[in-house]
Amino acid sequence: MPTRLTQLEVLALIQRRIDKAGTLTALAAEWGTSVAYLSDIMRGRRDPGPKILQHFGLSARRAKPVITYEKIP
C-alpha cells in the first residue's frame, strides 16, 4: 500500500471491505459503527474518521487552505 492515499483510494479500500463483509450493515456491525456513518462516508458527505482509518493503518493529515483577499478596484 502506498504511503499516501487519495480520498478515492481510501473509499476503494472501504468498498472492498464492504464487499468482503457482504453488506454495509455487516461491516458497520463488525467495525462497531453506524450504517448511516459508513453510508455518509461512501457518499462523500463525511470524511472517514480515525476509527475507520485505523482499520487500514492510516491516519489523516489536514492542512487548512490559505485564503488571500484582494481589494476590488
Side-chain angles (χ1 to χ4, degrees):
M1 184 164 37
T3 305
R4 295 180 186 201
L5 300 174
T6 66
Q7 182 178 8
L8 289 177
E9 290 169 324
V10 172
L11 291 177
L13 288 174
I14 296 170
Q15 184 61 55
R16 283 197 288 267
R17 293 295 281 271
I18 293 168
D19 294 344
K20 184 177 178 184
T23 65
L24 189 72
T25 303
L27 184 62
E30 180 182 323
W31 283 358
T33 192
S34 73
V35 174
Y37 177 56
L38 282 181
S39 178
D40 282 350
I41 291 169
M42 296 308 293
R43 292 174 187 260
R45 290 186 222 152
R46 295 181 74 175
D47 292 328
K51 186 175 181 179
I52 301 301
L53 294 174
Q54 76 181 3
H55 292 284
F56 303 104
L58 300 172
S59 65
R61 287 195 177 177
R62 302 188 198 296
K64 292 184 179 181
V66 176
I67 302 172
T68 58
Y69 296 91
E70 294 179 6
K71 190 170 184 174
I72 298 173

